């Protein structure tokens, strides 16, 4: 009950911040997203500091106002206190506290003080909390938020409204909450800003069912709590939904996360997600940039290899501008099955997922595991790069299986998707699941989407992990059997064809045969008429110059 109450209070805080933005003309403005997420983060870091400080120095709990007691500490004592805090707690000075800004809200130029405070926190914590770009620049934690208000005369009042809202609420009681609580809050915080833009780079939002299935198959229950010091990677991380699920299954303190994403917005969302989910130690590994053109994570000259990789890459987009830059000798090993050609009349339909998939396979450690969302067409294509990738996976024995999902599992794209599971240590059989008939259809805005029940999710996970064959649902096949079927990874192609025998009398048999014969005669007759009509039309054609 307490958890639900805090969840509601947190959502109310987010709603009231949105309401302030709307009152100052920023409703649905592109900058509203930055204001909401950054003020939320400022509040979160402020209360996390308070929570940690009180744990270390119980006298702060007894003090009437902990901020004043903390401000009264000598510089040395404050530094000592901060040294005892975990690396995931931002280093704050007494002048950074929300209560201090609250007490200063009638000062002239309050907006400047508010912005300066955020910028000072960002600079003081740059080493831990800044995201890098592939060019080496740093994307700091905060922007000067009042600058987003065009009318300068309203900036002080805008910042006062925010501080008055933040001071009313405390996060301190929720720092002991678990992953699911933060997943819900994060989703609520970004729900208006993380729309899938129909295939644009890094704007994909992966449904939780897909994220949960991927995590539960990559890290089965019996392995949870036993895996240590592993690396998890996503080369098109978006807001990090997939990585958070996998990190949670492994244990947040047992893994390090590495990402690259071309979108600045996605990198900021991911940073926020890492902070909420106790993964601050991984922020230095978050890189904003084009992973296909400039892969950042390396070991010397080689690509860095990872224990776990999850990804929901964009499927199709125009990368014609840099396609030829990828087609080099140095990239031969990485893009082993080839690089899609430029489609002269449909550049936006270039199959970029093929590049991500090859990059992922090349970035996997020997014995590593990966789960990648792919268009279902990938699993059966008879020629080209798709088939080349499947052949590579089979010949190198690095396939765990495929789960073909129901259509419209992503509300905003009609593309059918499958989850490809890669396991560089799987010498045995491969599991193919056809889950396309599962789920219930629900309306999501103007779109219809399919939602799996928790029982259906669990069925997929259990059948895959136990390598079970179930009639019309799953098959377990050898690598040789896949090669014999032209490397198809579609479960349906391996299902047994069932012939049902029905007892009928000679009279019923004769009647059926007569029915077939009559039907066939009718079709032949129509065919003859059509043939005569076509000849007549052809005879009437005249040359016209």
């Amino acid at each position: 009950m307490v958890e639900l109450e805090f969840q509601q209070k947190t959502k109310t805080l987010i709603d009231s911040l949105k309401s302030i933005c709307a009152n100052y003309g920023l409703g649905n403005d592109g900058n509203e997203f930055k204001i909401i997420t950054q003020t939320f983060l400022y509040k979160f870091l402020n209360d996390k500091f308070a929570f940690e400080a009180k744990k270390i120095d119980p006298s702060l709990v007894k003090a009437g106002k902990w901020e004043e007691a903390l401000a009264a500490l000598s510089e040395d004592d404050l530094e000592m206190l901060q040294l005892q805090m975990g690396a995931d707690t931002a280093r704050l000075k007494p002048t950074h506290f929300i209560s201090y800004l609250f007490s200063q809200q009638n000062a002239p130029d309050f907006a400047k003080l508010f912005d300066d405070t955020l910028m000072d926190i960002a600079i003081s914590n740059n080493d831990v909390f800044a995201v890098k770009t592939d060019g080496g620049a740093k994307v700091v934690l905060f922007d000067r938020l009042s600058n987003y208000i065009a009318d300068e005369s309203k900036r002080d009042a805008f910042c006062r409204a925010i501080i008055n809202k933040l001071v009313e609420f405390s996060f301190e009681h929720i720092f002991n909450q678990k992953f699911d609580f933060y997943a819900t809050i994060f989703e609520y915080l970004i729900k208006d800003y993380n729309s899938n833009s129909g295939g644009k780079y890094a704007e994909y939002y992966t449904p939780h069912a897909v994220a949960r299935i991927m995590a539960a198959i990559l890290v089965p229950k019996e392995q949870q709590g036993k895996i240590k010091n592993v690396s998890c990677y996503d080369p098109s991380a978006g807001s990090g939904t997939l990585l958070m699920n996998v990190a949670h299954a492994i244990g947040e303190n047992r893994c390090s996360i590495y990402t690259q994403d071309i979108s600045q917005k996605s990198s900021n969302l991911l940073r926020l997600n890492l902070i909420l989910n106790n993964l601050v130690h991984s922020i230095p590994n978050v890189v904003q940039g084009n992973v296909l053109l400039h892969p950042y994570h390396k070991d010397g000259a080689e690509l860095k290899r990872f224990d776990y990789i999850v990804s929901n890459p964009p499927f199709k987009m125009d990368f014609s501008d840099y396609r030829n830059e990828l087609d080099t000798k140095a990239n031969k090993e990485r893009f082993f099955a080839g690089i899609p050609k430029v489609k002269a009349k449909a550049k936006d339909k270039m199959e970029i997922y093929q590049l991500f998939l090859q990059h992922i396979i090349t970035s996997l450690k020997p014995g590593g595991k990966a789960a990648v969302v792919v268009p279902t067409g990938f699993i059966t294509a008879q020629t080209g790069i798709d088939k080349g990738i499947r052949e590579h996976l089979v010949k190198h024995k690095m396939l765990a299986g495929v789960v073909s999902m129901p259509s419209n599992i992503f509300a905003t794209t009609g593309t059918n998707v499958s989850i490809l599971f890669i396991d560089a240590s799987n010498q045995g059989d491969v599991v193919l699941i056809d889950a396309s008939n599962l789920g219930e259809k629900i309306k999501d805005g103007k779109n219809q989407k399919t939602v799996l029940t928790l029982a259906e999710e669990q069925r997929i996970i259990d059948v895959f992990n136990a390598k079970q064959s179930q009639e019309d649902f799953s098959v377990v096949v050898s690598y040789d059997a896949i090669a014999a079927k032209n490397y198809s990874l579609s479960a349906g192609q391996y299902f047994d064809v069932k012939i049902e025998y029905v007892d009928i009398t000679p009279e019923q048999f004769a009647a059926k045969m007569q029915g077939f014969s009559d039907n066939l005669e009718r079709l032949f007759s129509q065919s003859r008429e059509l043939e005569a009509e076509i000849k007549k039309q052809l005879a009437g054609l005249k040359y016209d110059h």
Side-chain angles (χ1 to χ4, degrees):
M1 184 61 217
V2 174
E3 184 179 324
L4 281 175
E5 190 184 321
F6 276 121
Q7 212 169 76
Q8 199 42 56
K9 281 185 176 172
T10 309
K11 288 178 177 180
T12 304
L13 170 69
I14 295 165
D15 288 342
S16 56
L17 291 173
K18 287 182 181 176
S19 170
I20 291 169
C21 285
N23 291 342
Y24 283 85
L26 288 170
N28 296 322
D29 179 273
N31 294 315
E32 182 194 25
F33 155 76
K34 294 177 184 171
I35 292 165
I36 302 293
T37 52
Q38 291 186 28
T39 49
F40 182 89
L41 185 54
Y42 171 46
K43 175 66 180 162
F44 186 86
L45 294 177
N46 195 92
D47 291 359
K48 182 91 161 59
F49 185 93
F51 176 77
E52 295 295 338
K54 288 174 187 175
K55 238 174 25 182
I56 294 162
D57 185 350
S59 70
L60 294 173
V61 183
K62 299 187 188 90
K65 289 191 173 173
W66 67 268
E67 296 97 332
E68 288 176 11
L70 211 120
L73 292 177
S74 70
E75 218 170 288
D76 288 351
D77 287 346
L78 182 61
E79 195 178 331
M80 182 53 72
L81 181 75
Q82 292 192 346
L83 284 172
Q84 293 174 69
M85 289 179 175
D88 58 346
T89 306
R91 301 295 181 251
L92 302 183
K93 305 166 191 166
T95 52
H96 292 157
F97 299 144
I98 288 167
S99 57
Y100 175 78
L101 286 182
F102 181 73
S103 71
Q104 298 294 310
Q105 63 180 296
N106 293 322
D109 274 350
F110 179 68
K112 183 177 183 307
L113 176 64
F114 179 88
D115 286 345
D116 286 349
T117 302
L118 291 187
M119 296 312 291
D120 195 40
I121 294 171
I123 290 158
S124 309
N125 293 279
N126 222 4
D127 288 352
V128 177
F129 288 91
V131 168
K132 285 192 288 287
T133 68
D134 55 9
K138 287 198 166 183
V139 183
V140 297
L141 207 46
F142 297 116
D143 296 308
R144 303 190 80 85
L145 295 184
S146 76
N147 286 353
Y148 296 126
I149 304 291
D151 184 343
E152 288 184 36
S153 68
K154 292 183 177 172
R155 289 179 180 174
D156 288 350
F158 171 72
C159 294
R160 273 198 291 274
I162 285 177
I163 283 296
N164 284 318
K165 199 48 73 182
L166 296 183
V167 86
E168 290 172 3
F169 167 86
S170 174
F171 276 128
E172 283 186 62
H173 300 286
I174 64 173
F175 288 113
N176 293 322
Q177 292 296 339
K178 296 290 181 283
F179 167 75
D180 291 338
F181 176 87
Y182 288 114
T184 307
I185 291 304
F186 180 75
E187 192 174 315
Y188 191 80
L189 183 65
I190 69 167
K191 70 183 169 69
D192 295 334
Y193 313 113
N194 198 42
S195 60
N196 178 327
S197 51
K200 278 192 189 150
Y201 210 129
E203 292 289 309
Y204 275 69
Y205 187 70
T206 309
H208 279 299
V210 174
R212 283 192 293 261
I213 289 166
M214 286 164 90
I217 289 175
L218 286 177
V219 190
K221 268 219 160 45
E222 63 273 13
Q223 290 179 22
Q224 291 179 12
K226 295 178 183 165
I227 299 165
K228 274 187 200 155
N229 299 330
V230 290
S231 54
C232 305
Y233 176 56
D234 187 340
S236 60
S239 56
T241 310
L242 295 178
L243 283 166
M244 295 308 118
N245 278 271
V246 170
H248 180 61
I250 293 168
E252 286 82 357
N253 58 343
R254 294 167 172 268
C255 64
S256 294
I257 279 174
Y258 293 80
T259 72
Q260 194 162 343
D261 199 299
I262 204 165
S263 155
Q264 187 168 324
K265 182 167 125 183
S266 290
S267 300
N268 282 328
L269 280 176
L270 178 61
R271 168 167 55 192
L272 176 61
N273 218 349
L274 291 171
I275 291 168
L276 291 182
N277 285 292
N278 253 359
L279 285 155
V280 169
H281 61 275
S282 290
I283 292 175
N285 308 327
V286 173
V287 175
Q288 183 203 320
N290 185 333
V291 73
L292 300 175
L293 202 50
H294 305 295
Y296 182 86
H297 298 294
K298 299 244 181 117
D299 279 332
E302 300 289 310
L303 285 181
K304 184 171 173 63
R305 292 175 178 252
F306 301 93
D307 298 291
Y308 293 91
I309 305 178
V310 284
S311 196
N312 173 19
F315 289 170
K316 294 187 177 179
M317 66 173 284
D318 179 1
F319 59 94
S320 56
D321 284 356
Y322 60 89
R323 190 249 169 229
N324 291 343
E325 284 183 68
L326 298 174
D327 200 354
T328 61
K329 206 169 165 191
N331 271 330
K332 268 275 182 282
E333 189 185 341
R334 184 162 62 131
F335 301 128
F336 53 84
I339 296 169
K341 294 192 164 46
V342 175
K343 298 188 176 202
K345 291 184 179 166
K347 288 183 180 174
D348 59 329
K349 302 241 175 8
M350 292 170 70
E351 293 89 350
I352 197 165
Y353 75 88
Q354 296 174 340
L355 295 176
F356 276 99
L357 192 44
Q358 292 178 83
H359 173 81
I360 285 163
I361 292 165
T362 314
S363 300
L364 205 56
K365 272 188 184 172
K369 294 182 179 185
V372 190
V373 180
V374 293
T376 292
F378 162 80
I379 67 177
T380 53
Q382 287 307 297
T383 54
I385 295 171
D386 284 338
K387 190 183 175 197
I389 294 171
R390 298 198 314 268
E391 266 187 63
H392 179 95
L393 291 172
V394 169
K395 285 179 175 166
H396 290 84
K397 294 202 165 154
M398 51 190 308
L399 191 58
V402 170
V403 178
S404 295
M405 301 298 280
S407 57
N408 299 112
I409 197 95
F410 291 84
T412 35
T413 171
T415 309
N416 284 357
V417 304
S418 294
I419 310 171
L420 175 70
F421 289 93
I422 301 166
D423 183 346
S425 65
N426 181 33
Q427 298 295 304
D429 289 341
V430 173
V431 188
L432 304 176
I433 293 179
D434 179 2
S436 60
N437 295 320
L438 301 187
E440 50 187 312
K441 308 253 181 290
I442 63 162
K443 284 290 275 182
D444 183 19
K446 293 179 191 163
N447 303 303
Q448 187 182 59
K449 75 172 175 181
T450 307
V451 177
L452 295 176
T453 64
L454 287 174
E456 287 172 329
E457 278 180 41
Q458 203 53 52
R459 180 186 176 195
I460 292 169
I461 292 161
D462 292 344
V463 165
F464 196 105
N465 285 343
K467 289 195 175 186
Q468 286 176 356
S469 284
Q470 288 189 2
E471 195 173 305
D472 292 337
F473 181 69
S474 64
V475 289
V476 180
V477 294
S478 68
Y479 282 115
D480 288 344
I482 295 172
K485 285 267 193 206
N486 220 1
Y487 301 97
S488 169
L489 302 180
S490 169
Q493 295 205 6
Y494 299 85
F495 291 152
D496 292 330
V497 177
K498 292 185 287 298
I499 300 170
E500 290 187 19
Y501 294 95
V502 182
D503 285 335
I504 58 173
T505 64
E507 291 78 14
Q508 286 171 320
F509 177 76
K512 261 190 188 301
M513 292 310 288
Q514 187 59 48
F516 291 146
S517 185
D518 292 348
N519 197 27
L520 206 53
E521 188 52 52
R522 187 172 52 78
L523 290 170
F524 284 154
S525 170
Q526 282 176 358
S527 169
R528 284 190 290 271
E529 284 170 28
L530 195 58
E531 202 176 311
E533 181 62 30
I534 291 168
K535 281 180 179 169
K536 194 169 124 193
Q537 295 286 350
L538 282 171
L541 287 177
K542 291 195 171 55
Y543 175 65
D544 190 8
H545 56 86

